Amino acid sequence: MAINHLSPPTGQMADNVVGFARALRAAGIPVGPGAVIDAMNALQAIEIGNRGDVFTTLEAIFVKRHEHALIFAQAFDLFFRAAEEWKHMLDSVPLPDHARKKPPPASRRVQEALAQPQMSETPQAQEQELRLSVSDKEVLQKKDFAQMSAAEIAQVTRAIAQMKLPQAELRTRRYQPDARGLRLDMRRTLRGSLRTGGDIIDIHRLGRIDKPAPIVALLDISGSMSEYTRLFLHFLHAITDARKRVSVFLFGTRLTNVTRALRARDPDEALASCSSTVEDWAGGTRIGTSLHTFNKLWGRRVLGQGAIVLLISDGLEREADAKLAFEMDRLHRSCRRLIWLNPLLRFGGFEAKAQGIRMMLPHVDEFRPVHNLSSIEGLIAALSSAPPPHHRSLIRSAA
Amino acid sequence: MTALALPTSVDAMLELLTSRGYLAERSLATVTYLSLRMGRPLFLEGEAGVGKTEIAKVLSAALGRKLIRLQCYEGLDVASAVYEWNSAAQMIAIRLAEAAGDTDRAQLSSDIFAKRFLIERPLLQALEPDVAGPPVLLIDELDRADEAFEAYLLEILSDFQVTIPEFGTIKAPHPPIVIITSNRTREIHDALKRRCLYHWVDYPSAERELAIVKSRVPGISAKLSQQVVRFVQALRDQDFYKSPGVAETLDWATALTELDARSLTPQVVGDTLGALLKYQDDIARMQGDTLQKVLKEATSEN
């Protein structure tokens, strides 16, 4: 199929495709300029009158991951709503939501993205906006999650979604070709030498492969943590990648494994399916019992291969007793590194007064604050670095 | 054709296993029978010591097949699981060819990568034809190997063939009987489980365990065997970190007979508890009142 690249489409259709691509970008689908050009070329090659064909064509170009398909479909519906105007490719205004049925989780995002102002301002205005957003960002970095407005939370959520978890590398026992490796790769050496009739010319070597360590997150969803829960879920969703080994458990009065619910999906949808599996949102906390359940049913299954455990909880436990200390100790001894993230640490004069916290502290390798964006970034840095030597001496003992 | 015919019904399968001293639950006999009939690998998961590995041994003995065992561990790779070239022998062959003045390179490389320089590891051995019929391939504790090996296994289990770049493809004329076990130290990928028949092997009931003890521990008195099984069953009801498996029950029963114990007393149980419980926390919990209580239940005459 020959497509004339020399005469790019102009006018209404080009504007529409560009606008649509921008809307997709705002809704979180990565769409580069190359894809926009592809889309314009492709639209010239098909019957524009057929809405289904146009949908398929654009989807094939813009959607590169399955979890984006849902957002794309909604954005397409909103953007090219009126079928009779479709032939003229007129810009259509998103209709108000009639709320005949509950909108699917991602639709709010798409609506917001489409409602964003067109970028037709003067350069000066843009610059101002940019400056503003930088200072905004600084404020956001330091602001406690618990005091944010809905809009700010949305901003933070986006920032979290863009965080990339660097590779906390673990040396595996598997080998790959490596010029500076320590082991001889006799097989490749021999095959190479045969090309010269048996004179060995270069030695091929093998070195160990490094692989990211598995992560197991235990997230407290009791009432006292409710302001943070959603954001932490967003954070966990951001680091849960099909290629990385991340398991996520939620606990309040009981323990729920939500690893599969969080995997490879749109964040809104993942959170919605988490909500449907968990029965005890924002209830009480029974850390000891939940840890016991985890140790008994899941510990051996997910803590192998040198896992790092993130325990996200404020440690406010009413039934703190020796059992809690025992289960913490067991958890600590069965993983490679136990990091406790506690939003209460944001208070400068935080003293571990609560009984539960005192029980748990001796059994963690690291005790970190996690209540704003900078602390999450700090956590990511900590995860990617080598574990520090056991520095429990640095943790202020509460006794 | 196979030397010994495969069982033709679930009952025949049960019969076959029982005749070799493996007293299986009917559900286990059923999936084993199905895996033989359908030619699908059998995936057994369960706690340590419930007889997952044993069934492969018994099956190979009962059917007169060779047992090929691949024990998995972290870092298991193709060289130790499937095949490896014998580099030392190849080097010697190259030297000999040089000394003889052969300079035909194509000939040399085809000589070097001949089958006699191939060291066969368990997975490749399992593909070799056997006069007694296809062997039983036991892939033990697959959870200890890494995901990369699991992915490689997918290919072998679906086609039963191995491609060696320098040599060619080796395909099994008849697929082996495959039994995979896992202790669940990590979750095995769905893709592999989908190709297998899955069965969770549970602890046996009291009656079955009693029968197992009687058949496996010769010379144990009826009274002691009953007490042993009751005691172990009571332990499993307790919330221990690691409950004793059938293997532990048999060890303990053997230990007690070695010590000439007639019946369970606090003294003898305390001395031999290490055969049953393998965690210090668990042993510490089984002291004093708890031990007395369980012991009383186990030794009551009713």
Side-chain angles (χ1 to χ4, degrees):
Chain A
M1 179 170 59
I3 293 172
N4 186 359
H5 290 275
L6 296 177
S7 63
T10 49
Q12 201 65 43
M13 186 179 96
D15 288 351
N16 268 310
V17 172
V18 171
F20 181 55
R22 196 176 294 141
L24 289 181
R25 226 171 278 151
I29 301 181
V31 174
V36 177
I37 294 169
D38 283 350
M40 290 182 190
N41 287 331
L43 285 180
Q44 286 178 296
I46 61 161
E47 274 298 324
I48 273 194
N50 184 330
R51 189 186 159 116
D53 284 359
V54 172
F55 178 88
T56 313
T57 307
L58 291 181
E59 187 184 40
I61 289 164
F62 288 142
V63 177
K64 302 297 182 209
R65 293 175 64 170
H66 179 64
E67 56 262 41
H68 295 154
L70 180 73
I71 297 184
F72 175 86
Q74 287 171 349
F76 185 89
D77 266 358
L78 281 174
F79 204 88
F80 305 111
R81 179 67 67 108
E84 64 275 6
E85 292 170 14
W86 174 243
K87 285 195 178 64
H88 314 292
M89 293 284 288
L90 281 176
D91 212 335
S92 62
V93 185
L95 298 183
D97 202 344
H98 291 305
R100 274 184 303 261
K101 57 179 191 263
K102 196 162 157 274
S107 66
R108 197 171 42 84
R109 248 166 73 198
V110 176
Q111 294 234 5
E112 278 180 15
L114 287 178
Q116 282 192 342
Q118 294 291 318
M119 289 181 56
S120 57
E121 297 109 350
T122 55
Q124 205 183 355
Q126 272 184 35
E127 238 168 77
Q128 271 182 353
E129 202 180 53
L130 212 69
R131 265 209 301 277
L132 195 78
S133 64
V134 169
S135 60
D136 270 358
K137 201 172 167 204
E138 279 170 12
V139 172
L140 274 181
Q141 291 280 352
K142 298 277 177 284
K143 196 163 185 179
D144 194 318
F145 290 148
Q147 298 155 1
M148 287 184 179
S149 69
E152 285 170 331
I153 285 200
Q155 240 176 309
V156 169
T157 309
R158 267 199 291 279
I160 287 179
Q162 282 161 2
M163 287 180 180
K164 286 277 173 289
L165 192 73
Q167 312 280 301
E169 299 278 296
L170 268 189
R171 184 133 294 195
T172 65
R173 295 175 179 274
R174 195 174 277 286
Y175 289 86
Q176 67 184 1
D178 178 357
R180 287 173 305 176
L182 295 175
R183 243 171 74 160
L184 267 187
D185 188 348
M186 280 308 289
R187 182 175 178 176
R188 277 172 67 231
T189 304
L190 255 175
R191 283 175 69 178
S193 77
L194 276 178
R195 291 186 206 114
T196 63
D199 299 332
I200 293 193
I201 39 167
D202 49 357
I203 303 280
H204 292 275
R205 293 178 176 279
L206 293 169
R208 290 260 179 101
I209 296 178
D210 291 346
K211 219 166 65 172
I215 290 178
V216 177
L218 299 166
L219 171 58
D220 186 342
I221 53 167
S222 59
S224 53
M225 292 277 293
S226 55
E227 289 124 343
Y228 300 100
T229 306
R230 218 184 141 72
L231 280 162
F232 290 149
L233 273 176
H234 267 289
F235 167 68
L236 292 173
H237 181 267
I239 65 171
T240 301
D241 187 316
R243 283 170 301 117
K244 295 193 193 84
R245 294 169 293 170
V246 179
S247 322
V248 181
F249 294 84
L250 308 184
F251 66 91
T253 49
R254 68 180 69 203
L255 182 87
T256 320
N257 182 356
V258 293
T259 307
R260 296 220 168 182
L262 276 183
R263 181 154 294 168
R265 288 203 190 162
D266 174 80
D268 287 307
E269 212 182 332
L271 262 58
S273 80
C274 266
S275 314
S276 61
T277 33
V278 176
E279 292 169 17
D280 54 341
W281 285 106
T285 334
R286 284 162 57 204
I287 303 177
T289 319
S290 303
L291 285 182
H292 175 76
T293 313
F294 176 80
N295 283 333
K296 193 158 172 57
L297 295 181
W298 290 100
R300 285 197 196 83
R301 293 155 73 178
V302 294
L303 292 181
Q305 298 93 40
I308 298 173
V309 174
L310 301 178
L311 177 65
I312 310 175
S313 166
D314 51 14
L316 299 179
E317 160 91 328
R318 250 171 262 139
E319 313 164 5
D321 51 7
K323 187 179 166 191
L324 174 62
F326 176 83
E327 295 298 344
M328 268 306 276
D329 183 38
R330 164 138 285 160
L331 177 65
H332 184 213
R333 280 187 287 129
S334 48
C335 68
R336 179 163 164 263
R337 197 173 159 202
L338 176 51
I339 303 177
W340 183 6
L341 307 171
N342 190 337
L344 288 183
L345 272 189
R346 70 180 184 275
F347 302 119
F350 174 77
E351 290 279 341
K353 281 210 178 69
Q355 183 71 10
I357 298 180
R358 286 226 300 272
M359 291 272 179
M360 289 157 76
L361 260 187
H363 304 294
V364 296
D365 295 322
E366 267 185 81
F367 191 42
R368 307 182 65 89
V370 57
H371 60 281
N372 60 20
L373 264 185
S374 345
S375 59
I376 284 200
E377 279 166 5
L379 163 69
I380 287 187
L383 277 178
S384 55
S385 63
H390 288 270
H391 59 297
R392 275 176 226 138
S393 53
L394 297 184
I395 298 172
R396 266 175 304 163
S397 76
Chain B
M1 238 356 257
T2 55
L4 287 174
L6 298 179
T8 52
S9 69
V10 178
D11 291 311
M13 188 82 213
L14 258 175
E15 187 63 38
L16 186 85
L17 293 174
T18 310
S19 70
R20 295 276 165 172
Y22 190 98
L23 309 176
E25 301 279 347
R26 193 174 172 87
S27 56
L28 177 60
T30 308
V31 288
T32 312
Y33 166 74
L34 284 176
S35 101
L36 292 189
R37 299 300 297 178
M38 296 161 68
R40 297 280 285 279
L42 179 59
F43 190 101
L44 300 176
E45 214 167 38
E47 298 291 344
V50 290
K52 300 186 297 292
T53 302
E54 191 64 22
I55 197 166
K57 294 179 182 173
V58 166
L59 210 55
S60 75
L63 297 173
R65 307 284 177 84
K66 196 161 75 175
L67 176 68
I68 296 174
R69 178 171 178 169
L70 174 68
Q71 174 65 50
C72 298
Y73 55 89
E74 198 194 342
L76 180 69
D77 57 358
V78 169
S80 41
V82 195
Y83 69 92
E84 205 173 359
W85 287 107
N86 185 345
S87 310
Q90 286 173 322
M91 304 273 277
I92 293 169
I94 293 174
R95 285 267 166 260
L96 286 174
E98 274 182 358
D102 288 339
T103 50
D104 184 357
R105 257 192 256 170
Q107 183 59 42
L108 181 63
S109 50
S110 71
D111 285 350
I112 287 298
F113 293 115
K115 192 148 184 177
R116 64 197 172 100
F117 293 113
L118 197 63
I119 302 173
E120 296 189 2
R121 301 286 184 209
L123 287 182
L124 192 57
Q125 287 170 20
L127 301 184
E128 297 290 326
D130 195 315
V131 286
V136 174
L137 170 63
L138 167 63
I139 301 174
D140 213 6
E141 300 187 348
L142 177 64
D143 49 320
R144 293 183 183 281
D146 57 2
E147 288 93 343
F149 181 72
E150 224 178 281
Y152 184 85
L153 208 56
L154 276 180
E155 189 188 2
I156 289 197
L157 291 183
S158 54
D159 304 339
F160 292 108
Q161 64 176 33
V162 171
T163 300
I164 303 172
E166 303 93 336
F167 180 79
T169 302
I170 297 177
K171 190 166 169 51
H174 302 287
I177 298 167
V178 184
I179 294 181
I180 304 174
T181 75
S182 157
N183 282 338
R184 274 219 303 198
T185 60
R186 91 185 153 78
E187 298 293 323
I188 303 292
H189 206 279
D190 296 350
L192 191 94
K193 286 183 174 176
R194 268 214 328 271
R195 283 168 173 73
C196 307
L197 294 176
Y198 176 85
H199 185 68
W200 173 261
V201 186
D202 216 338
Y203 296 118
S205 61
E207 300 80 40
R208 191 170 303 279
E209 193 159 28
L210 188 60
I212 294 172
V213 169
K214 280 179 174 164
S215 80
R216 286 289 174 114
V217 184
I220 189 167
S221 70
K223 182 179 161 194
L224 182 62
S225 58
Q226 197 154 34
Q227 289 186 354
V228 163
V229 170
R230 271 197 199 159
F231 188 88
V232 172
Q233 293 274 340
L235 283 198
R236 287 190 195 131
D237 290 341
Q238 301 262 344
D239 197 15
F240 281 123
Y241 188 61
K242 174 73 191 81
S243 294
V246 184
E248 278 82 13
T249 313
L250 295 175
D251 279 351
W252 194 45
T254 313
L256 292 171
T257 49
E258 290 292 332
L259 295 173
D260 290 327
R262 298 284 162 75
S263 71
L264 297 182
T265 62
Q267 177 66 36
V268 85
V269 171
D271 292 345
T272 54
L273 212 48
L276 273 185
L277 299 173
K278 307 292 167 81
Y279 281 85
Q280 175 53 32
D281 304 332
D282 291 349
I283 291 178
R285 276 185 55 195
M286 268 315 277
Q287 305 296 345
D289 293 350
T290 323
L291 180 60
Q292 294 290 357
K293 198 168 124 262
V294 176
L295 205 55
K296 199 164 155 221
E297 279 173 27
T299 52
S300 63
E301 298 291 337
N302 54 13

